[in-house]
Amino acid sequence: MSAPELNSIPISARIQTIRRLTADTALFRLQLDGDRTFPFIPGQFVQLSVPGGGEVPISPADLPAVDGTIELCVRRFGHVTSLLHRSRTGDRVGIRGPFGNGFPVDAMAGKDVLLLAGGLGIAPLRSLLFHLLRHRSDIRSLTLMYGAREPAVMLFKDELLELATTGSLRLLLTVDFLSDTGQAEPACNVGLLPALLKGVQLEPGRSCAAVCGPPALYRCTIDELLLAGVAEDDIYLSLERRMKCGVGLCCHCAVGQLLCCCEGPVFSYRDIKNIPGAL
Amino acid sequence: MKQRFLADNALGQFLDWLTHYGVLHGPTRTAEGVDAFGPVQTESDLCLDYRRTLIPPKKYLLPPRQTILNYTTAAGYTLPDRPAPQQVLFGVHSCDLQGIAYLDRVFLGDRPDQLYRRYRNALTLVGLSCEPDPFCFCASSEKAPRNADLFLQRLEHGFIVSAETTRGKGMLAGLEPLLTEIEAIPPPPVESRMMIRLRNAAERGSTFPDSPLWENFAARCLSCGACSVCCPTCYCFDVLEHGALDGMTAERLREWDNCLFRAHGEVAGGHNFRPTRRERFLYRYLHKYLGFGALAGVPACVGCGRCRVVCPVAIDLTELFAEGDDVCA
Ligand SMILES: Cc1cc2nc3c(=O)[nH]c(=O)nc-3n(C[C@H](O)[C@H](O)[C@H](O)COP(=O)(O)OP(=O)(O)OC[C@H]3O[C@@H](n4cnc5c(N)ncnc54)[C@H](O)[C@@H]3O)c2cc1C
Ligand code: SF4
Ligand code: SF4
Ligand code: FES
């Protein structure tokens, strides 16, 4: 199949495993037909088809695998994602892509790298995190700040805590509030994500930040990041838009004159700061 | 200058001959008095002196609702194998030809859309010169855009016929028995002042940020979407999927969407990136006059005037161009 066809016709895949993470979020590992591999850059997205339901943009949560699988972390939101959550292992889905630009991993070389994830934003940043850990010696330091609404919906917590024990990752977790029954967890702050950035001082030009989360997260973290010394060019924001085609045709996803599916979804703060309504 | 000439009395034969290339469609006037491109059986079905149709020719390339993929459990997702209908669209004015040229740039660019290509290849275009009215403002009302297979320039007793594409050159050769030769000078192209203003604004990259017209438009607009439905270069689409009850097959469709509608900028969870009419106007403005993505910097408006005609509350985005422009103060 030629490249343009891959862009427009979903290739078949089967759900290999489903790992429930929270009440509404699960990790789906898909096996692509013909054991084909599916290379992508962390931060790129795929269009996932659930037959009879439709298609949704999802960013892979793992690194590209050599065994022809791909891992997606999906929250049950509406029509298509609910149908996916009702699927069982062995069921068929479709994949198109990868689309978009992904995070500029090469530009992170030699820098202090800060990953800021809010809620489900951890999914694409987990892929980036794995990439950076694999090439850990290319960057100076690695910090992940991850905020969830409450302890029960914090994703990948054990896995992240374990990665942090190796010393190659500084991990800061926070929850907006404690659930009624919830105990204060060790190694977890209570408060909003931007609070973790208070007092942090980084070297301009030698630091960068990748941010992914709900729209409100961007508005409240950018000032803190700039204060901390991260240059506008080095703040990478992964933006969500309504994506229907993924290939620059349906025109639902423009940010200013930029098409989020092609020129994004990752933009530097400098590129979009003057675009009304971008954030 | 020597030109190939089709006399008025040979038009009927010419139309017959065109059916070799596909089912003939052209400008007609419906029983309700609406000008529309539709099937044409005989010369008398044609409305040759039409100004503009309500719906532009994009409907021949991007049907309002189109199956883009079929799904079966056995074969997965596949392109529908139904071929596109072979059609000849007769009587297309310059502005609409330019509209088609713009759609070609979008759908046959870096990531060509296979269904569009199928429909485009099956469509033969016969252009026709026009008489501008106060609503139109195209770049040139007389020059034949390069994408018409044949272009007919109206004279008093017939038409100068020229071929603009490889297909058209082949057609012209076959058409010889119906043609004569005349000495004629095609009229010089006229460029409208509005189009010059529009280009200047596009070159400045102006979004008219301070214009009070935005609030004025936003307050009047009914969000009916007529202006995009009738625009020859508005192509944005929604994608829908319908599963059959047996759970074994499904059909994916694309259908015309509209950036003036509220849901256009909504994402899961209900957040809307363009909740207000003002923002949706700006979105349409940006796309139409300044361009998105790979076509940023290429104005999409071809000056057909349809949006100015159809708006029930007389909103005219081109009023913005009169502002801040020294060419036509
Ligand atoms: C680049 C990108 C990466 C994403 N990564 C993830 C991820 O890793 N995990 C995850 O759970 N979610 C992710 N999302 C969000 C996810 O795409 C939406 O939750 C999903 O589209 C909701 O679809 P639905 O049918 O369940 O919801 P509904 O609200 O019922 O949606 C109805 C229709 O609207 C469309 N729609 C709704 N929201 C969006 C949207 N944001 N983008 C495009 N179409 C939309 C759907 O295609 C669907 O046809 C991502 C979104 C983007 C843009
Ligand atoms: S914006 Fe209006 S005048 Fe311009 S091409 Fe579209 S319908 Fe015609
Ligand atoms: S036609 Fe007029 S009222 Fe309708 S959406 Fe367009 S500008 Fe608004
Ligand atoms: S998702 Fe269709 S243009 Fe970007």
Side-chain angles (χ1 to χ4, degrees), chain B residues 220-228 260 281 307 310-315:
Chain B
R220 266 149 71 196
C221 173
L222 311 169
S223 285
C224 70
C227 50
S228 343
L260 272 319
F281 260 121
C307 59
V310 298
C311 179
V313 291
I315 288 171

Side-chain angles (χ1 to χ4, degrees), chain B residues 1-74:
Chain B
M1 209 197 296
K2 292 257 185 287
Q3 306 277 0
R4 310 308 297 150
F5 182 73
L6 178 78
D8 274 342
N9 60 16
L11 183 63
Q13 274 175 283
F14 173 67
L15 296 175
D16 277 347
W17 173 83
L18 281 177
T19 60
H20 292 310
Y21 295 88
V23 179
L24 186 63
H25 285 245
T28 62
R29 185 158 294 159
T30 65
E32 296 82 38
V34 177
D35 287 351
F37 287 114
V40 171
Q41 308 294 340
T42 66
E43 193 180 337
S44 60
D45 293 343
L46 281 176
C47 181
L48 269 184
D49 57 355
Y50 82 108
R51 287 293 183 267
R52 64 180 65 70
T53 56
L54 182 60
I55 303 296
K58 68 179 176 186
K59 66 178 181 181
Y60 290 97
L61 298 168
L62 296 166
R65 184 168 238 249
Q66 181 180 31
T67 303
I68 54 171
L69 289 172
N70 289 313
Y71 176 84
T72 63
T73 37

